[in-house]
Amino acid sequence: MNVAVVDLGLGNLGSVLQALRRAGGEPALVTDPSSLAKAPRVILPGVAAFGLGMERAAPFREALHQAVTRRVPVLGICLGMQLLFEEGDEDGRRPGLGLLPGRVTRLPQGVQVPHIGWQKLRPTAPSALEPSGWAYFAHSYRCEAPDEVTCAVAEHGPVRIAAVVSQGTLFGVQYHPEKSAQDGEGLLRRFLALHGAGA
Amino acid sequence: MLTRRIIPCLDVKDGRVVKGVRFQELRDAGDPVEQARAYGAAGADEVCFLDISASLEARGTLVRLVEQVARELNIPFAVGGGVRAVAEAEALLRAGADKVSMNTAAISDPALITAVARLAGSQSAMVAIDAKTRGPGWEVRSHGGTRSSGRDLIEWAREAVDRGAGEILLTSMDHDGTRQGFALEMLRAVTAAVPVPVIASGGAGEPAHFAEAFDAGASAALAASVFHFGTFTIAAVKEACAARGFPMRR
């Protein structure tokens, strides 16, 4: 095992596990928060609504905070990224994991929602994940991430979407690297090559 | 800028890919996993599996096939056919499907759409609609297009989205298998009526037809036989659409 994948009992787990294996990883599904204590890397996946996601992620709150404090590489994917933020608007306002500053809000009116499809990433700051190339998005909510944690964006019409965020060894991707062909696989490989201080 | 998507559809029956010309006369065109992988390599933006036997024969889900495909495929794929309950949708998503497509079951029990959207998010809840000209508008057909549902297309598309559908896969029963082009008037009417992406299906016969569908408002266009039988390639379609000014992933 070289990466723990948090099992929130939500959809999309199969895709993430398979993509990690294609990228040379040895993922292990984790249902018990205490298992994160020994994980060299952690992935928080998720395809669902924020409310349900937080219900399932709440037991992992302390373990995830500890992993980040230990500087273990942590990657949230799609809803998993959104859960890292302070607060979400989906299904009523609720607190998130609070690991990153900012809120998660519905994509504004006037653009197509859900935002589904492929876009080219535009890097805005250096990142160990070196996000670039084509990314497949499928979401209705976005993270209003401050510039200092944003490292790549995608423009959905006039709306700027934080596509990749990072702070220390904590990363989030709004799109689905597990479904983004070679470019997505490259990002997962780079994540799997990261070594945190605790690893 | 969001690119327009080209989606090869693999109609599956008993684990094999088939394509019904006007939903009849099925022809065998290969192994689903091999096909999906080949399409991914050929530049498909997404792949769609529709189990066409499901509604007719009340067969179960395609979980095992989905697991096999997810192992091989690094682009998104949707699965439909026989999805009657949330538990079935959840099993398909857990096995690696990105989206589940609901058709007949959503018509008889629209609450299913909401339940799947709650569970997995709207972007994973696709509603497939088979529609046929009726009077000045279009009617929704169910059970693989064999029965009239009595519902009006535009009303049903709106209701499906209100209930949580994140995407509409719109098949024209009139155009399907004809290769005369997509049903553009119908596409315009539906894309004007709903805010979510609409996937055009039925009637693709040449690369220019895809650009026409995008011009009519489609976010993606789907075809089966033209790709299966090598009438033209996905790259040729993307080239034709890019030449018409549509952003494509190439």
Side-chain angles (χ1 to χ4, degrees):
Chain A
M1 191 271 272
N2 61 4
V3 58
V5 178
V6 178
D7 184 357
L8 299 181
L10 305 169
N12 191 41
L13 266 180
S15 318
V16 172
L17 292 174
Q18 299 292 6
L20 286 167
R21 290 186 189 114
R22 284 197 301 268
E26 291 164 28
L29 265 185
V30 166
T31 50
D32 176 7
S34 66
S35 308
L36 292 189
K38 283 183 234 140
R41 291 167 202 86
V42 178
I43 286 186
L44 183 63
V47 170
F50 193 93
L52 181 61
M54 263 323 292
E55 239 170 65
R56 304 279 176 89
F60 289 90
R61 178 190 291 272
E62 192 51 39
L64 285 167
H65 274 266
Q66 283 169 7
V68 169
T69 306
R70 288 200 313 276
R71 298 192 60 78
V72 170
V74 175
L75 173 65
I77 298 177
C78 198
L79 176 70
M81 164 186 175
Q82 298 180 354
L83 296 176
L84 302 176
F85 284 79
E86 289 167 309
E87 188 178 69
D89 269 357
E90 200 171 1
D91 293 342
R93 186 171 289 200
R94 320 167 172 245
L97 292 167
L99 289 159
L100 287 172
R103 308 180 60 244
V104 181
T105 55
R106 189 167 171 85
L107 285 165
Q109 294 215 324
V111 297
Q112 198 170 63
V113 183
H115 173 226
I116 296 180
W118 293 82
Q119 291 202 212
K120 250 196 178 143
L121 295 175
R122 184 164 65 79
T124 54
S127 162
L129 295 183
E130 298 170 41
S132 69
W134 291 104
Y136 176 77
F137 291 85
H139 61 115
S140 301
Y141 287 75
R142 63 162 170 166
C143 302
E144 295 184 0
D147 286 346
E148 57 268 28
V149 302
T150 304
C151 24
V153 299
E155 267 96 24
H156 180 34
V159 179
R160 197 181 92 144
I161 288 160
V164 183
V165 294
S166 74
Q167 189 174 70
T169 57
L170 176 63
F171 302 89
V173 288
Q174 180 60 73
Y175 68 99
H176 290 278
E178 76 278 15
K179 290 292 167 176
S180 295
Q182 293 91 337
D183 292 334
E185 195 170 298
L187 183 124
L188 292 178
R189 279 183 196 282
R190 290 188 288 278
F191 177 75
L192 290 170
L194 294 179
H195 292 278
Chain B
M1 195 190 284
L2 202 54
T3 56
R4 309 282 178 134
R5 290 169 282 150
I6 305 297
I7 306 175
C9 179
L10 300 168
D11 287 359
V12 177
K13 192 177 184 188
D14 303 324
R16 300 282 292 175
V17 175
V18 292
K19 170 61 187 173
V21 177
R22 288 181 194 260
F23 289 82
Q24 303 290 329
E25 294 172 27
L26 303 179
R27 285 190 279 179
D28 193 329
D31 168 60
V33 177
E34 286 291 308
Q35 287 245 357
R37 194 168 48 184
Y39 279 134
D45 294 306
E46 193 170 323
V47 175
C48 181
F49 287 92
L50 285 181
D51 185 350
I52 54 170
S53 58
S55 289
L56 292 169
E57 298 169 10
R59 50 156 316 231
T61 59
L62 303 166
V63 173
R64 201 168 310 142
L65 175 63
V66 168
E67 279 172 358
Q68 289 169 356
V69 172
R71 217 167 288 150
E72 303 281 341
L73 201 63
N74 60 5
I75 57 171
F77 69 102
V79 182
V83 179
R84 286 182 186 77
V86 188
E88 292 174 41
E90 188 172 12
L92 292 169
L93 292 164
R94 215 177 152 85
D98 298 279
K99 308 168 183 185
V100 289
S101 164
M102 298 160 274
N103 190 333
T104 299
I107 296 168
S108 48
D109 177 20
L112 175 66
I113 306 169
T114 313
V116 172
R118 280 258 163 80
L119 178 82
S122 280
Q123 76 289 332
S124 295
M126 179 190 281
V127 168
I129 306 179
D130 297 330
K132 201 176 170 72
T133 304
R134 182 183 63 187
W138 304 271
E139 70 156 347
V140 177
R141 309 281 296 181
S142 69
H143 298 81
T146 60
R147 293 191 208 166
S148 169
S149 73
R151 286 176 183 264
D152 171 72
L153 169 63
I154 302 301
E155 283 171 22
W156 173 230
R158 285 202 176 110
E159 180 180 343
V161 171
D162 286 346
R163 287 178 180 270
E167 219 167 2
I168 300 286
L169 168 55
L170 179 63
T171 300
S172 165
M173 300 287 301
D174 304 309
H175 286 238
D176 196 67
T178 66
R179 302 196 176 187
Q180 297 298 303
F182 294 96
L184 301 178
E185 195 194 337
M186 185 172 90
L187 260 177
R188 276 187 212 100
V190 174
T191 55
V194 298
V196 304
V198 175
I199 303 169
S201 159
E206 52 186 86
H209 289 155
F210 292 80
E212 288 171 9
F214 298 149
D215 207 38
S219 296
L222 174 147
S225 52
V226 288
F227 294 140
H228 297 334
F229 299 116
T231 314
F232 46 78
T233 62
I234 291 168
V237 172
K238 290 193 168 184
E239 195 181 325
C241 295
R244 287 273 301 272
F246 295 104
M248 309 299 292
R249 179 178 72 105
R250 295 200 291 166

